[in-house]
Amino acid sequence: MKETNIIYDSVSNTWSIIVKVVNKSLLQIEYPELTGYKTKEDAEIAYHKAMHQFAMDMENIKSITGVKYTLSSYIEHWYVDIFKQYTTSPSYLQTTDWAIQRVILPSIEEDHLLINLTPEYIDLSLQGE
């Protein structure tokens, strides 16, 4: 999953945001960059508004499809609620968390509901294609 950011562009003297948006026709999450905000405050307001809309859209999609998780939200759920129950090794937990946060989640360009996943999509995501 792409990390959400508020970014300053010194060339255009504007601010941009990267947000999560539900593509309702494909039932997947996309990460567009919205540009052209004149102040950081404008960008922050737009970011919070977009993320609020995203949360409402996700709840709607989840209720329509009956699917509780996207790929990234399931990976996070698995790590926090399942995996951590089976080990007490701090180094193992730290290594696994690092792999999830630094390798796996950033590789997810479009976050699909679990019902829409294919092995090919997972392979391509992890290969960075």
Side-chain angles (χ1 to χ4, degrees):
M1 173 181 6
K2 298 232 183 260
E3 191 174 276
T4 55
N5 288 308
I6 298 175
I7 307 159
Y8 179 68
D9 180 355
S10 60
V11 174
S12 66
N13 196 30
T14 61
W15 292 84
S16 300
I17 58 177
I18 298 173
V19 296
K20 295 180 185 180
V21 175
V22 175
N23 180 324
K24 295 174 187 168
S25 61
L26 298 175
L27 298 178
Q28 67 188 29
I29 299 169
E30 298 171 349
Y31 301 88
E33 181 175 350
L34 307 177
T35 62
Y37 298 99
K38 295 189 187 300
T39 67
K40 184 176 183 180
E41 292 76 26
D42 290 344
E44 288 172 342
I45 290 168
Y47 173 79
H48 291 296
K49 182 178 177 183
M51 294 312 293
H52 177 72
Q53 184 63 50
F54 168 75
M56 291 185 343
D57 290 345
M58 278 304 297
E59 287 306 313
N60 186 35
I61 295 296
K62 287 176 182 178
S63 68
I64 289 170
T65 63
V67 177
K68 186 175 177 181
Y69 296 106
T70 63
L71 176 59
S72 66
S73 66
Y74 184 76
I75 290 169
E76 291 170 347
H77 158 72
W78 170 83
Y79 176 74
V80 171
D81 299 328
I82 299 170
F83 180 73
K84 282 186 169 184
Q85 306 294 320
Y86 292 97
T87 186
T88 57
S89 168
S91 62
Y92 195 49
L93 288 169
Q94 185 177 13
T95 302
T96 304
D97 183 56
W98 182 91
I100 290 169
Q101 298 300 325
R102 303 289 182 167
V103 178
I104 297 170
L105 293 180
S107 297
I108 300 173
E109 293 285 329
E110 296 175 341
D111 199 6
H112 295 269
L113 293 170
L114 288 184
I115 197 169
N116 295 337
L117 292 181
T118 63
E120 293 81 18
Y121 169 76
I122 294 170
D123 288 343
L124 290 174
S125 291
L126 293 175
Q127 292 172 10
E129 294 179 15

Short mmCIF file of all heavy atoms in Angstrom, two decimals, residues 24-85:
data_model
loop_
_atom_site.label_atom_id
_atom_site.label_comp_id
_atom_site.label_asym_id
_atom_site.label_seq_id
_atom_site.Cartn_x
_atom_site.Cartn_y
_atom_site.Cartn_z
N LYS A 24 -15.44 2.21 -7.47
CA LYS A 24 -16.67 1.47 -7.21
C LYS A 24 -17.01 0.51 -8.34
O LYS A 24 -17.68 -0.48 -8.11
CB LYS A 24 -17.81 2.45 -6.96
CG LYS A 24 -17.59 3.24 -5.68
CD LYS A 24 -18.65 4.30 -5.49
CE LYS A 24 -18.27 5.17 -4.31
NZ LYS A 24 -19.06 6.36 -4.23
N SER A 25 -16.55 0.78 -9.54
CA SER A 25 -16.87 -0.14 -10.64
C SER A 25 -15.99 -1.38 -10.60
O SER A 25 -16.42 -2.46 -10.97
CB SER A 25 -16.76 0.57 -11.99
OG SER A 25 -15.44 1.02 -12.20
N LEU A 26 -14.74 -1.24 -10.15
CA LEU A 26 -13.82 -2.38 -10.08
C LEU A 26 -13.73 -2.98 -8.68
O LEU A 26 -13.09 -4.02 -8.50
CB LEU A 26 -12.42 -1.96 -10.53
CG LEU A 26 -12.29 -1.45 -11.96
CD1 LEU A 26 -10.88 -0.96 -12.24
CD2 LEU A 26 -12.69 -2.55 -12.96
N LEU A 27 -14.33 -2.29 -7.70
CA LEU A 27 -14.27 -2.72 -6.30
C LEU A 27 -12.83 -2.90 -5.84
O LEU A 27 -12.45 -3.93 -5.30
CB LEU A 27 -15.09 -3.99 -6.07
CG LEU A 27 -16.58 -3.89 -6.35
CD1 LEU A 27 -17.25 -5.23 -6.12
CD2 LEU A 27 -17.24 -2.80 -5.54
N GLN A 28 -12.03 -1.88 -6.05
CA GLN A 28 -10.65 -1.91 -5.60
C GLN A 28 -10.27 -0.52 -5.10
O GLN A 28 -10.96 0.46 -5.36
CB GLN A 28 -9.71 -2.37 -6.69
CG GLN A 28 -9.60 -1.41 -7.86
CD GLN A 28 -8.80 -2.00 -9.00
OE1 GLN A 28 -8.77 -3.22 -9.18
NE2 GLN A 28 -8.17 -1.17 -9.77
N ILE A 29 -9.16 -0.46 -4.39
CA ILE A 29 -8.68 0.79 -3.84
C ILE A 29 -7.54 1.30 -4.71
O ILE A 29 -6.63 0.54 -5.06
CB ILE A 29 -8.21 0.60 -2.39
CG1 ILE A 29 -9.37 0.12 -1.53
CG2 ILE A 29 -7.63 1.90 -1.83
CD1 ILE A 29 -8.99 -0.36 -0.17
N GLU A 30 -7.60 2.58 -5.03
CA GLU A 30 -6.55 3.21 -5.82
C GLU A 30 -5.94 4.33 -5.00
O GLU A 30 -6.52 4.78 -4.01
CB GLU A 30 -7.14 3.73 -7.12
CG GLU A 30 -7.71 2.61 -7.97
CD GLU A 30 -8.50 3.08 -9.18
OE1 GLU A 30 -8.80 4.29 -9.28
OE2 GLU A 30 -8.80 2.22 -10.03
N TYR A 31 -4.76 4.78 -5.41
CA TYR A 31 -4.01 5.78 -4.66
C TYR A 31 -3.64 6.96 -5.56
O TYR A 31 -2.48 7.14 -5.92
CB TYR A 31 -2.75 5.16 -4.07
CG TYR A 31 -3.04 4.01 -3.14
CD1 TYR A 31 -3.17 2.71 -3.63
CD2 TYR A 31 -3.23 4.22 -1.79
CE1 TYR A 31 -3.45 1.65 -2.78
CE2 TYR A 31 -3.51 3.16 -0.93
CZ TYR A 31 -3.63 1.89 -1.44
OH TYR A 31 -3.91 0.85 -0.60
N PRO A 32 -4.61 7.80 -5.91
CA PRO A 32 -4.29 8.92 -6.79
C PRO A 32 -3.56 10.04 -6.04
O PRO A 32 -3.69 10.19 -4.83
CB PRO A 32 -5.66 9.41 -7.26
CG PRO A 32 -6.57 9.05 -6.13
CD PRO A 32 -6.04 7.75 -5.59
N GLU A 33 -2.78 10.79 -6.81
CA GLU A 33 -2.15 12.00 -6.26
C GLU A 33 -2.98 13.19 -6.73
O GLU A 33 -3.19 13.38 -7.93
CB GLU A 33 -0.71 12.13 -6.75
CG GLU A 33 -0.02 13.35 -6.18
CD GLU A 33 1.44 13.43 -6.56
OE1 GLU A 33 1.99 12.47 -7.12
OE2 GLU A 33 2.04 14.49 -6.29
N LEU A 34 -3.47 13.96 -5.78
CA LEU A 34 -4.25 15.16 -6.08
C LEU A 34 -3.33 16.36 -5.87
O LEU A 34 -2.70 16.50 -4.82
CB LEU A 34 -5.48 15.24 -5.17
CG LEU A 34 -6.36 13.98 -5.15
CD1 LEU A 34 -7.50 14.14 -4.16
CD2 LEU A 34 -6.88 13.65 -6.54
N THR A 35 -3.25 17.23 -6.86
CA THR A 35 -2.25 18.30 -6.83
C THR A 35 -2.89 19.68 -6.89
O THR A 35 -4.08 19.82 -7.15
CB THR A 35 -1.29 18.15 -8.02
OG1 THR A 35 -2.06 18.28 -9.23
CG2 THR A 35 -0.58 16.82 -8.02
N GLY A 36 -2.05 20.67 -6.66
CA GLY A 36 -2.45 22.06 -6.88
C GLY A 36 -2.98 22.80 -5.67
O GLY A 36 -3.55 23.89 -5.82
N TYR A 37 -2.77 22.31 -4.47
CA TYR A 37 -3.23 23.02 -3.28
C TYR A 37 -2.25 24.15 -2.97
O TYR A 37 -1.05 23.96 -2.96
CB TYR A 37 -3.37 22.06 -2.09
CG TYR A 37 -4.39 20.99 -2.36
CD1 TYR A 37 -3.99 19.72 -2.78
CD2 TYR A 37 -5.74 21.26 -2.24
CE1 TYR A 37 -4.92 18.74 -3.05
CE2 TYR A 37 -6.69 20.27 -2.52
CZ TYR A 37 -6.26 19.02 -2.92
OH TYR A 37 -7.18 18.06 -3.21
N LYS A 38 -2.79 25.34 -2.72
CA LYS A 38 -1.94 26.52 -2.52
C LYS A 38 -1.26 26.55 -1.15
O LYS A 38 -0.17 27.09 -1.02
CB LYS A 38 -2.76 27.79 -2.72
CG LYS A 38 -3.25 27.94 -4.15
CD LYS A 38 -3.87 29.29 -4.37
CE LYS A 38 -4.51 29.43 -5.72
NZ LYS A 38 -3.65 29.27 -6.85
N THR A 39 -1.90 25.96 -0.13
CA THR A 39 -1.31 25.95 1.21
C THR A 39 -1.33 24.53 1.78
O THR A 39 -2.12 23.69 1.34
CB THR A 39 -2.07 26.86 2.18
OG1 THR A 39 -3.37 26.31 2.40
CG2 THR A 39 -2.17 28.29 1.65
N LYS A 40 -0.48 24.32 2.75
CA LYS A 40 -0.46 23.03 3.43
C LYS A 40 -1.80 22.79 4.13
O LYS A 40 -2.31 21.67 4.14
CB LYS A 40 0.68 22.97 4.44
CG LYS A 40 0.81 21.62 5.10
CD LYS A 40 2.01 21.56 6.02
CE LYS A 40 2.14 20.15 6.60
NZ LYS A 40 3.29 20.06 7.50
N GLU A 41 -2.38 23.83 4.68
CA GLU A 41 -3.67 23.70 5.36
C GLU A 41 -4.76 23.26 4.39
O GLU A 41 -5.59 22.41 4.72
CB GLU A 41 -4.05 25.03 6.04
CG GLU A 41 -3.17 25.40 7.21
CD GLU A 41 -1.79 25.94 6.80
OE1 GLU A 41 -1.63 26.48 5.67
OE2 GLU A 41 -0.84 25.76 7.59
N ASP A 42 -4.78 23.83 3.17
CA ASP A 42 -5.74 23.41 2.15
C ASP A 42 -5.55 21.93 1.82
O ASP A 42 -6.52 21.19 1.67
CB ASP A 42 -5.60 24.23 0.86
CG ASP A 42 -6.06 25.66 1.01
OD1 ASP A 42 -6.76 25.97 2.00
OD2 ASP A 42 -5.70 26.48 0.13
N ALA A 43 -4.30 21.51 1.70
CA ALA A 43 -3.99 20.11 1.39
C ALA A 43 -4.45 19.20 2.54
O ALA A 43 -5.02 18.13 2.30
CB ALA A 43 -2.50 19.93 1.13
N GLU A 44 -4.22 19.60 3.77
CA GLU A 44 -4.64 18.80 4.93
C GLU A 44 -6.16 18.67 4.99
O GLU A 44 -6.68 17.58 5.25
CB GLU A 44 -4.10 19.40 6.23
CG GLU A 44 -2.61 19.22 6.39
CD GLU A 44 -2.04 19.98 7.58
OE1 GLU A 44 -2.69 20.90 8.11
OE2 GLU A 44 -0.91 19.62 7.98
N ILE A 45 -6.87 19.75 4.74
CA ILE A 45 -8.34 19.71 4.74
C ILE A 45 -8.83 18.76 3.65
O ILE A 45 -9.71 17.93 3.89
CB ILE A 45 -8.92 21.13 4.55
CG1 ILE A 45 -8.66 21.96 5.81
CG2 ILE A 45 -10.41 21.07 4.23
CD1 ILE A 45 -8.93 23.44 5.64
N ALA A 46 -8.26 18.88 2.46
CA ALA A 46 -8.67 18.01 1.35
C ALA A 46 -8.34 16.55 1.66
O ALA A 46 -9.13 15.65 1.35
CB ALA A 46 -7.98 18.45 0.06
N TYR A 47 -7.18 16.31 2.27
CA TYR A 47 -6.78 14.95 2.62
C TYR A 47 -7.77 14.34 3.60
O TYR A 47 -8.24 13.22 3.41
CB TYR A 47 -5.36 14.96 3.22
CG TYR A 47 -4.96 13.61 3.75
CD1 TYR A 47 -4.54 12.61 2.88
CD2 TYR A 47 -5.04 13.32 5.10
CE1 TYR A 47 -4.18 11.36 3.36
CE2 TYR A 47 -4.69 12.08 5.58
CZ TYR A 47 -4.26 11.10 4.71
OH TYR A 47 -3.94 9.87 5.18
N HIS A 48 -8.11 15.07 4.66
CA HIS A 48 -9.05 14.53 5.66
C HIS A 48 -10.44 14.31 5.07
O HIS A 48 -11.10 13.32 5.38
CB HIS A 48 -9.09 15.44 6.88
CG HIS A 48 -7.81 15.41 7.67
ND1 HIS A 48 -7.35 14.28 8.30
CD2 HIS A 48 -6.87 16.36 7.88
CE1 HIS A 48 -6.20 14.54 8.89
NE2 HIS A 48 -5.88 15.78 8.63
N LYS A 49 -10.85 15.20 4.19
CA LYS A 49 -12.15 15.03 3.53
C LYS A 49 -12.14 13.78 2.64
O LYS A 49 -13.08 12.98 2.67
CB LYS A 49 -12.47 16.27 2.68
CG LYS A 49 -13.81 16.21 2.01
CD LYS A 49 -14.08 17.49 1.22
CE LYS A 49 -15.40 17.38 0.50
NZ LYS A 49 -15.69 18.55 -0.33
N ALA A 50 -11.06 13.59 1.88
CA ALA A 50 -10.95 12.41 1.01
C ALA A 50 -10.91 11.13 1.82
O ALA A 50 -11.52 10.12 1.45
CB ALA A 50 -9.71 12.53 0.12
N MET A 51 -10.19 11.13 2.93
CA MET A 51 -10.10 9.92 3.75
C MET A 51 -11.42 9.61 4.45
O MET A 51 -11.76 8.44 4.64
CB MET A 51 -8.95 10.06 4.77
CG MET A 51 -7.58 10.12 4.08
SD MET A 51 -7.29 8.86 2.82
CE MET A 51 -7.25 7.40 3.83
N HIS A 52 -12.17 10.64 4.81
CA HIS A 52 -13.51 10.41 5.37
C HIS A 52 -14.41 9.78 4.31
O HIS A 52 -15.14 8.82 4.60
CB HIS A 52 -14.10 11.74 5.87
CG HIS A 52 -15.49 11.61 6.38
ND1 HIS A 52 -15.78 10.98 7.57
CD2 HIS A 52 -16.67 12.00 5.86
CE1 HIS A 52 -17.09 11.00 7.77
NE2 HIS A 52 -17.65 11.61 6.74
N GLN A 53 -14.35 10.29 3.09
CA GLN A 53 -15.14 9.72 1.99
C GLN A 53 -14.73 8.28 1.72
O GLN A 53 -15.56 7.41 1.49
CB GLN A 53 -14.99 10.56 0.72
CG GLN A 53 -15.86 10.09 -0.42
CD GLN A 53 -17.35 10.19 -0.10
OE1 GLN A 53 -17.81 11.23 0.35
NE2 GLN A 53 -18.09 9.11 -0.32
N PHE A 54 -13.42 8.02 1.76
CA PHE A 54 -12.91 6.67 1.57
C PHE A 54 -13.49 5.71 2.61
O PHE A 54 -13.94 4.62 2.29
CB PHE A 54 -11.38 6.66 1.64
CG PHE A 54 -10.80 5.28 1.73
CD1 PHE A 54 -10.76 4.47 0.61
CD2 PHE A 54 -10.32 4.79 2.93
CE1 PHE A 54 -10.23 3.18 0.69
CE2 PHE A 54 -9.80 3.52 3.02
CZ PHE A 54 -9.76 2.70 1.90
N ALA A 55 -13.49 6.12 3.87
CA ALA A 55 -14.02 5.27 4.94
C ALA A 55 -15.50 4.97 4.72
O ALA A 55 -15.94 3.82 4.89
CB ALA A 55 -13.80 5.93 6.30
N MET A 56 -16.26 5.97 4.33
CA MET A 56 -17.69 5.75 4.05
C MET A 56 -17.88 4.82 2.86
O MET A 56 -18.72 3.91 2.90
CB MET A 56 -18.41 7.08 3.82
CG MET A 56 -18.50 7.91 5.07
SD MET A 56 -19.45 9.45 4.98
CE MET A 56 -19.64 9.82 3.28
N ASP A 57 -17.10 5.02 1.79
CA ASP A 57 -17.20 4.17 0.61
C ASP A 57 -16.82 2.73 0.92
O ASP A 57 -17.45 1.78 0.44
CB ASP A 57 -16.32 4.71 -0.52
CG ASP A 57 -16.83 6.00 -1.11
OD1 ASP A 57 -18.00 6.36 -0.87
OD2 ASP A 57 -16.05 6.67 -1.82
N MET A 58 -15.78 2.54 1.75
CA MET A 58 -15.36 1.18 2.12
C MET A 58 -16.45 0.47 2.92
O MET A 58 -16.73 -0.71 2.70
CB MET A 58 -14.06 1.20 2.92
CG MET A 58 -12.82 1.31 2.07
SD MET A 58 -12.66 0.02 0.80
CE MET A 58 -12.53 -1.46 1.78
N GLU A 59 -17.07 1.16 3.85
CA GLU A 59 -18.16 0.55 4.62
C GLU A 59 -19.30 0.15 3.69
O GLU A 59 -19.88 -0.93 3.85
CB GLU A 59 -18.65 1.51 5.71
CG GLU A 59 -17.68 1.65 6.86
CD GLU A 59 -17.28 0.31 7.48
OE1 GLU A 59 -18.16 -0.53 7.75
OE2 GLU A 59 -16.07 0.10 7.68
N ASN A 60 -19.61 0.99 2.72
CA ASN A 60 -20.66 0.68 1.76
C ASN A 60 -20.31 -0.54 0.92
O ASN A 60 -21.12 -1.46 0.76
CB ASN A 60 -20.91 1.90 0.86
CG ASN A 60 -22.10 1.69 -0.05
OD1 ASN A 60 -23.08 1.06 0.31
ND2 ASN A 60 -22.00 2.25 -1.24
N ILE A 61 -19.09 -0.59 0.41
CA ILE A 61 -18.64 -1.73 -0.40
C ILE A 61 -18.64 -3.01 0.43
O ILE A 61 -19.06 -4.07 -0.04
CB ILE A 61 -17.23 -1.46 -0.98
CG1 ILE A 61 -17.26 -0.30 -1.97
CG2 ILE A 61 -16.64 -2.71 -1.62
CD1 ILE A 61 -18.09 -0.52 -3.21
N LYS A 62 -18.16 -2.93 1.66
CA LYS A 62 -18.13 -4.11 2.52
C LYS A 62 -19.54 -4.63 2.79
O LYS A 62 -19.77 -5.84 2.80
CB LYS A 62 -17.42 -3.80 3.84
CG LYS A 62 -15.92 -3.65 3.68
CD LYS A 62 -15.26 -3.25 4.99
CE LYS A 62 -13.78 -3.06 4.83
NZ LYS A 62 -13.14 -2.63 6.09
N SER A 63 -20.50 -3.72 2.99
CA SER A 63 -21.86 -4.18 3.25
C SER A 63 -22.51 -4.76 1.99
O SER A 63 -23.26 -5.73 2.06
CB SER A 63 -22.72 -3.04 3.82
OG SER A 63 -22.95 -2.05 2.85
N ILE A 64 -22.19 -4.22 0.83
CA ILE A 64 -22.74 -4.73 -0.43
C ILE A 64 -22.17 -6.11 -0.75
O ILE A 64 -22.89 -7.01 -1.15
CB ILE A 64 -22.44 -3.75 -1.59
CG1 ILE A 64 -23.27 -2.48 -1.43
CG2 ILE A 64 -22.71 -4.39 -2.94
CD1 ILE A 64 -22.87 -1.37 -2.38
N THR A 65 -20.86 -6.26 -0.60
CA THR A 65 -20.20 -7.50 -1.01
C THR A 65 -20.16 -8.56 0.08
O THR A 65 -19.98 -9.74 -0.21
CB THR A 65 -18.74 -7.22 -1.45
OG1 THR A 65 -18.01 -6.72 -0.33
CG2 THR A 65 -18.69 -6.26 -2.61
N GLY A 66 -20.27 -8.13 1.34
CA GLY A 66 -20.14 -9.08 2.44
C GLY A 66 -18.69 -9.46 2.71
O GLY A 66 -18.42 -10.36 3.49
N VAL A 67 -17.75 -8.77 2.08
CA VAL A 67 -16.33 -9.05 2.26
C VAL A 67 -15.78 -8.03 3.26
O VAL A 67 -15.92 -6.83 3.07
CB VAL A 67 -15.55 -8.96 0.93
CG1 VAL A 67 -14.07 -9.18 1.15
CG2 VAL A 67 -16.11 -9.97 -0.05
N LYS A 68 -15.14 -8.53 4.30
CA LYS A 68 -14.68 -7.67 5.38
C LYS A 68 -13.32 -7.03 5.12
O LYS A 68 -13.03 -5.97 5.65
CB LYS A 68 -14.62 -8.50 6.67
CG LYS A 68 -14.30 -7.74 7.91
CD LYS A 68 -14.38 -8.64 9.13
CE LYS A 68 -14.00 -7.91 10.40
NZ LYS A 68 -14.04 -8.75 11.57
N TYR A 69 -12.47 -7.67 4.31
CA TYR A 69 -11.09 -7.22 4.17
C TYR A 69 -10.68 -6.98 2.74
O TYR A 69 -11.11 -7.66 1.83
CB TYR A 69 -10.12 -8.26 4.74
CG TYR A 69 -10.27 -8.50 6.21
CD1 TYR A 69 -10.87 -9.67 6.68
CD2 TYR A 69 -9.80 -7.59 7.13
CE1 TYR A 69 -11.00 -9.90 8.04
CE2 TYR A 69 -9.92 -7.81 8.49
CZ TYR A 69 -10.53 -8.98 8.94
OH TYR A 69 -10.65 -9.20 10.28
N THR A 70 -9.74 -6.02 2.60
CA THR A 70 -8.96 -5.89 1.38
C THR A 70 -7.66 -6.65 1.65
O THR A 70 -7.41 -7.06 2.78
CB THR A 70 -8.63 -4.42 1.07
OG1 THR A 70 -7.83 -3.89 2.12
CG2 THR A 70 -9.90 -3.59 0.90
N LEU A 71 -6.83 -6.80 0.63
CA LEU A 71 -5.57 -7.50 0.83
C LEU A 71 -4.73 -6.84 1.92
O LEU A 71 -4.27 -7.50 2.85
CB LEU A 71 -4.78 -7.57 -0.48
CG LEU A 71 -3.40 -8.21 -0.38
CD1 LEU A 71 -3.49 -9.64 0.14
CD2 LEU A 71 -2.71 -8.16 -1.74
N SER A 72 -4.55 -5.54 1.84
CA SER A 72 -3.68 -4.87 2.82
C SER A 72 -4.30 -4.89 4.22
O SER A 72 -3.58 -5.09 5.20
CB SER A 72 -3.36 -3.44 2.40
OG SER A 72 -4.53 -2.65 2.39
N SER A 73 -5.60 -4.70 4.32
CA SER A 73 -6.20 -4.71 5.66
C SER A 73 -6.16 -6.12 6.26
O SER A 73 -6.01 -6.27 7.47
CB SER A 73 -7.63 -4.16 5.64
OG SER A 73 -8.51 -4.99 4.92
N TYR A 74 -6.26 -7.15 5.42
CA TYR A 74 -6.16 -8.51 5.95
C TYR A 74 -4.73 -8.81 6.41
O TYR A 74 -4.53 -9.45 7.45
CB TYR A 74 -6.60 -9.57 4.94
CG TYR A 74 -6.56 -10.93 5.59
CD1 TYR A 74 -7.55 -11.32 6.48
CD2 TYR A 74 -5.48 -11.78 5.38
CE1 TYR A 74 -7.48 -12.53 7.14
CE2 TYR A 74 -5.41 -13.00 6.05
CZ TYR A 74 -6.41 -13.37 6.91
OH TYR A 74 -6.34 -14.56 7.59
N ILE A 75 -3.74 -8.37 5.66
CA ILE A 75 -2.35 -8.59 6.07
C ILE A 75 -2.10 -7.94 7.43
O ILE A 75 -1.48 -8.54 8.32
CB ILE A 75 -1.36 -8.07 5.01
CG1 ILE A 75 -1.44 -8.96 3.76
CG2 ILE A 75 0.06 -8.02 5.55
CD1 ILE A 75 -0.71 -8.40 2.55
N GLU A 76 -2.58 -6.72 7.60
CA GLU A 76 -2.42 -6.03 8.88
C GLU A 76 -3.18 -6.76 9.99
O GLU A 76 -2.67 -6.94 11.10
CB GLU A 76 -2.86 -4.58 8.77
CG GLU A 76 -1.89 -3.77 7.90
CD GLU A 76 -2.39 -2.39 7.54
OE1 GLU A 76 -3.60 -2.10 7.73
OE2 GLU A 76 -1.57 -1.59 7.07
N HIS A 77 -4.41 -7.19 9.71
CA HIS A 77 -5.21 -7.96 10.68
C HIS A 77 -4.50 -9.25 11.04
O HIS A 77 -4.39 -9.61 12.22
CB HIS A 77 -6.60 -8.26 10.10
CG HIS A 77 -7.29 -9.41 10.73
ND1 HIS A 77 -7.80 -9.35 12.01
CD2 HIS A 77 -7.53 -10.66 10.28
CE1 HIS A 77 -8.35 -10.53 12.31
NE2 HIS A 77 -8.19 -11.33 11.28
N TRP A 78 -3.99 -9.96 10.04
CA TRP A 78 -3.30 -11.23 10.28
C TRP A 78 -2.10 -11.01 11.20
O TRP A 78 -1.90 -11.75 12.16
CB TRP A 78 -2.85 -11.83 8.95
CG TRP A 78 -1.94 -13.00 9.13
CD1 TRP A 78 -2.30 -14.30 9.37
CD2 TRP A 78 -0.51 -12.98 9.12
NE1 TRP A 78 -1.18 -15.08 9.51
CE2 TRP A 78 -0.07 -14.30 9.35
CE3 TRP A 78 0.44 -11.99 8.93
CZ2 TRP A 78 1.28 -14.63 9.40
CZ3 TRP A 78 1.77 -12.31 8.97
CH2 TRP A 78 2.18 -13.63 9.20
N TYR A 79 -1.30 -9.98 10.94
CA TYR A 79 -0.11 -9.73 11.74
C TYR A 79 -0.48 -9.38 13.18
O TYR A 79 0.06 -9.96 14.12
CB TYR A 79 0.73 -8.62 11.13
CG TYR A 79 1.93 -8.27 11.99
CD1 TYR A 79 3.01 -9.12 12.05
CD2 TYR A 79 1.94 -7.12 12.76
CE1 TYR A 79 4.10 -8.84 12.86
CE2 TYR A 79 3.03 -6.82 13.56
CZ TYR A 79 4.10 -7.69 13.61
OH TYR A 79 5.17 -7.40 14.41
N VAL A 80 -1.40 -8.45 13.35
CA VAL A 80 -1.75 -7.96 14.69
C VAL A 80 -2.57 -8.97 15.49
O VAL A 80 -2.28 -9.25 16.65
CB VAL A 80 -2.51 -6.62 14.58
CG1 VAL A 80 -3.07 -6.19 15.92
CG2 VAL A 80 -1.59 -5.55 14.00
N ASP A 81 -3.59 -9.54 14.86
CA ASP A 81 -4.56 -10.36 15.61
C ASP A 81 -4.29 -11.86 15.58
O ASP A 81 -4.81 -12.59 16.42
CB ASP A 81 -5.97 -10.11 15.08
CG ASP A 81 -6.40 -8.66 15.25
OD1 ASP A 81 -5.96 -8.04 16.24
OD2 ASP A 81 -7.14 -8.15 14.39
N ILE A 82 -3.50 -12.32 14.63
CA ILE A 82 -3.26 -13.77 14.52
C ILE A 82 -1.79 -14.11 14.76
O ILE A 82 -1.45 -14.84 15.67
CB ILE A 82 -3.74 -14.30 13.15
CG1 ILE A 82 -5.25 -14.06 13.01
CG2 ILE A 82 -3.41 -15.78 13.00
CD1 ILE A 82 -5.80 -14.31 11.63
N PHE A 83 -0.92 -13.57 13.93
CA PHE A 83 0.49 -13.93 13.98
C PHE A 83 1.12 -13.66 15.34
O PHE A 83 1.85 -14.49 15.87
CB PHE A 83 1.26 -13.19 12.88
CG PHE A 83 2.73 -13.49 12.86
CD1 PHE A 83 3.20 -14.72 12.42
CD2 PHE A 83 3.65 -12.55 13.30
CE1 PHE A 83 4.55 -15.00 12.40
CE2 PHE A 83 5.00 -12.82 13.28
CZ PHE A 83 5.45 -14.05 12.84
N LYS A 84 0.85 -12.50 15.90
CA LYS A 84 1.46 -12.13 17.18
C LYS A 84 1.08 -13.09 18.32
O LYS A 84 1.77 -13.14 19.32
CB LYS A 84 1.08 -10.70 17.57
CG LYS A 84 1.86 -9.65 16.83
CD LYS A 84 1.54 -8.28 17.37
CE LYS A 84 2.48 -7.24 16.86
NZ LYS A 84 2.21 -5.93 17.46
N GLN A 85 0.01 -13.84 18.15
CA GLN A 85 -0.41 -14.80 19.17
C GLN A 85 0.49 -16.03 19.21
O GLN A 85 0.50 -16.76 20.19
CB GLN A 85 -1.85 -15.26 18.90
CG GLN A 85 -2.85 -14.15 18.77
CD GLN A 85 -3.05 -13.38 20.06
OE1 GLN A 85 -3.09 -13.97 21.13
NE2 GLN A 85 -3.15 -12.08 19.95
#
